[in-house]
Amino acid sequence: MFLEIFLTLALGTIVYLFFSRKKEETLPIEEGWWGKGQKPDSEEDATVRPFKVETTEAELNDLFRRLDQTRFTEPLEDSYFHYGFNSVYLREVVSYWRNQFNWKKQVEVLNKFPQFKTKIEGLDVHFVHVKPPSLPEGRSAKPLLMVHGWPGSVYEFYKIIPLLTDPASHGLSDEHIFEVICPSIPGYGFSEASHKKGFNSVSAAGIFYKLMLRLGFNEFYAQGGDWGWLICTNLAQIAPNHVKGLHLNMVSVTNMRFTQLLSILLGRYFPGLFGFQDEDVRRMFPFLKKGPYMILMESGYAHIQATKPDTAGCGLNDSPVGLAAYILEKFSTWTEPEFRKLEDGGLERKYSLDDLLTNVMLYWVSGCMVSAMRFYKENIGKGIGTQKHEKLSVRVPTGIASFPNELLHTPRSWAQQKYVNIISFNFMPRGGHFAAFEEPELLAIDIQQFVGKVEKKEVWKEKGK
Amino acid sequence: MSLEYPRRNAVLAPAALGAGGLLVCWLLSRRKIKTLAMGDGWWGSGERPPREKEDETIQCFQIETSDREIQELHQRLDQARYIPPLEGAAFQYGFNSTYLQRVVAYWRNQFDWRKQLEILNQYPHFKTTIEGIEVHFVHVKPSRVPKGQAARPLLMVHGWPGSFYEFYKIIPLLTDPAGQGLNEDVVFEVICPSIPGYGFSEAPHQQGFDTLAAARIFHKLMQRLGFQEFYVQGGDWGSRITTNMAQMLPKSVKGLHLNFIFITSGGLGMLVSLLLGAYVPWLVGLTREDSRRLFPYFEKNVYDLLRETGYLHIQATKPDTAGCALNDSPVGLAAYILEKFSTWTDKSFRNMDNGGLERKFSLDDLLTHVMIYWVTSSIVSSMRFYKENVSKNPNAAPDARVGVYVPTGLAAFPQELAHTPRSWAKKKFKNIVTYSYMPRGGHFAAFEEPELLAQDIRQLVKKVEHL
């Protein structure tokens, strides 16, 4: 009799698993080829080669010559940062860049973490790979993929990496120790840019998935903001069985449902009805000013990059000062929108010029601004809300760190429409768009607590079985 | 379950209020003001000098260059950094850099700026200070005027990314028709100013310089030149500025000719004509040609406009950032400006590797436009004009609710960015004397199809004067 019961249960479990697997919506993994010309018949070289950032006297002299010959335009009187980057302050930044900024020293800073390159789908993909300096007995490092966005780079993670790979030395709990992999999105920094049209976030997710497999990781955590948010989300959609947990410091919901529209009209008066907390209301309302008006004021760059990236990027690849103004304007406004009222854009309140200019230099020396901008056209060029992945949900355990000065606030109740398995949603006390760069400790702590929750659930699931 | 009842009310109540509110607004808006207030302004540096009377002299001006200026340009062209286009991209991602390198090679090796300056200086140039800034203009008088006639003053205003140079081909057709094979029954004296912040006109130092300010400054210019009554013509920003001039001082504007029509809102009528226009155009005041140019509506008007207005969005919000690199990299400047001369001349040019640029224009002419922005370092100030003019609520702008009563001639070019049928234009332009469907041509009408445009301007003037 026990045999019959056992067989029935086993059969039932198999049937249940079979059907429940069918219900899981996954995004198909697309095989891509992004290299020059025709895809060769031979197998791709899968070796992982060490890489070091280098510079030359010629490169520096060329930069200095261009900085010295910059043509500035005087700002309008009392315009602060309302018309964009204030050129009076820009002169100060350029003067620092020319006379004090030490690129050779910054290259050493960049090279302190091991970097590599490997060919995937025809492109040379660059990444930083940092293992913990030491591991307590019996413990293993948890692999964590961290993906940057625009106009950022892998350098955004340089402050948070030690907090994750060596938490004990930085006064944090060492319950979770990570080994961190930060790739450069193809078309950004030292990753080769696609030669073919159509390279979007799903393509990038596919490449990073292959990267993690190539590095020997079958299961890993993924973390991201800006484009990193979307790429990691896609990664969780194409390979949900490999992504143990998805942590995001930015969430954008593009499929607006009726309940969401209603919550915009009435959420201020009936927050509980729509799952809004007090903090949600504080951040979102007055809605017109903080929502559509803010979007209109701040999305000009996205509009032109999503339609004419080659035109928009052309001058930026030729004028380092123009490039700096364009990039650093975002580090000002996206860190704190009120910084627009300051003559210096509040830039040095949260960041050092050395750090800011290192990020700019990554775009300059690699000449990647045009390809970086093309990513906008490939992702939103056909319109927001039109892509297949925007309609699919994410079932992987998700943790969201909601920073107060992010451009747009997404309340948990909205995020839940897509991220159906949110196990952690925390309002951060301070910080803006460039979370890892600006508030590495806050972000590291949130990642750790999220991973803790995921692992507890796993243990509970294991015990339950 | 108990949420259903209050939720339904919560939807009905605001909906009813909204409908009522709309009705009240609509009724109020019908009460229109007759003219636009002229106002006053000061655009110089610092505080306006209290009792000083402005220097109203008009000085002659010649555009000059130096070896150093040319050498510096060449050096920057030589150090340009290019990124190869995506395979098969043509002009869909913006200016194709492979073709750009060819343009730059021409610019570096064959383009002769000194020769172009001689062409630019063939017409007399002047400068005069108005409201604290130096205003540049070209003033061409006819060499001979037939007996019994007087040369009619005609103010022609350019737009972005154009300049007074756009009018160089049409000027002879207007000032010397006989010499160009046209009837000399209508002869003009032409004044082409540079909008402050563009080309050789000084840029305003204060915030708030919009089309109304430009319109008022151009009125003062015409008065200073001794003209009490004159014709005005414009496209792009020039269209809005000349329209404002007609709204401010209708008695001075004998006739208004536009090759581009700005309308901020069409209201209910426009919506209805859009919904039904594809099926029963005659019922909603659309002609067959209107129908052909407007529909399919979404594709042609919404998607295309979204695709083509990225520049407008960034310039209307962050002009200083957008223009920074362009004032420092001549190649970047050329790509940005010439992309418009390609796409706004013919939208199908986006599918060509060379953007069809040289089909309608010569590289000499195109690069002269770019040089005007380059040598004057005016790209940033030209972009600021977008921010000053694109306000939070276009329907609340002062000029949106004032009608235009001067005799108006509208030339609708087929490749213009957006088509405005006569029935829609009528809501704002109360006295349309001519409305012409041009057989060919795009946004830069005077530059691309000077003969067609000249013909249409002359036609308007003849109708106004009953000739």
Side-chain angles (χ1 to χ4, degrees), chain A residues 66 69 303 311 318 329 364, chain B residues 76 79 81 321 329 339:
Chain A
R66 290 172 195 256
Q69 70 180 31
H303 192 167
T311 301
D318 201 33
E329 184 219 277
W364 178 254
Chain B
R76 288 176 194 252
Q79 73 180 23
R81 303 187 341 161
T321 301
S329 161
E339 184 219 276

Side-chain angles (χ1 to χ4, degrees), chain B residues 136-158:
Chain B
H136 156 263
F137 62 99
V138 175
H139 186 177
V140 187
K141 296 187 187 173
S143 44
R144 59 167 238 103
V145 184
K147 244 171 144 163
Q149 249 197 73
R152 293 152 180 83
L154 169 65
L155 177 82
M156 302 186 84
V157 186
H158 68 89

Side-chain angles (χ1 to χ4, degrees), chain A residues 65-66 69 71 74 77-78 83 85 196-197 296 298 303 310-311 317-319 329 364 378, chain B residues 46 76 79 81 87-88 93 95 206-207 306 308 313 318 320-321 327-329 339 374 384 388:
Chain A
R65 197 180 69 237
R66 290 172 195 256
Q69 70 180 31
R71 301 187 343 159
E74 292 315 300
E77 290 178 16
D78 302 320
Y83 284 70
F85 206 106
K196 304 273 189 287
K197 294 191 270 191
L296 272 176
E298 296 301 326
H303 192 167
D310 285 30
T311 301
N317 198 43
D318 201 33
S319 161
E329 184 219 277
W364 178 254
E378 305 297 15
Chain B
R76 288 176 194 252
Q79 73 180 23
R81 303 187 341 161
E87 292 170 15
Y93 284 69
F95 207 107
Q206 308 296 336
Q207 297 172 50
L306 278 175
E308 295 302 326
H313 194 166
K318 313 280 183 187
D320 285 26
T321 301
N327 198 43
D328 201 36
S329 161
E339 184 219 276
W374 178 256
R384 286 176 186 153
E388 307 295 17

Side-chain angles (χ1 to χ4, degrees), chain B residues 60-65 113-126 136 138-140 164-165 168 200 368:
Chain B
C60 292
F61 172 70
Q62 278 240 329
I63 307 173
E64 285 168 354
T65 186
W113 180 228
R114 287 190 194 276
K115 181 169 132 259
Q116 289 304 118
L117 281 185
E118 278 173 40
I119 295 174
L120 284 172
N121 286 326
Q122 82 191 244
Y123 294 133
H125 294 252
F126 305 88
H136 156 263
V138 175
H139 186 177
V140 187
F164 63 91
Y165 187 58
Y168 268 51
F200 300 97
T368 299

Side-chain angles (χ1 to χ4, degrees), chain B residues 348-361:
Chain B
S348 70
F349 285 179
R350 285 178 299 210
N351 301 322
M352 298 182 187
D353 283 337
N354 62 3
L357 214 50
E358 293 171 75
R359 286 196 178 195
K360 287 297 200 97
F361 312 113

Side-chain angles (χ1 to χ4, degrees), chain A residues 282-299:
Chain A
R282 198 190 68 81
R283 291 187 188 184
M284 283 171 69
F285 297 96
F287 187 74
L288 279 180
K289 174 165 168 254
K290 296 199 179 180
Y293 181 63
M294 176 67 97
I295 297 176
L296 272 176
M297 284 301 290
E298 296 301 326
S299 60

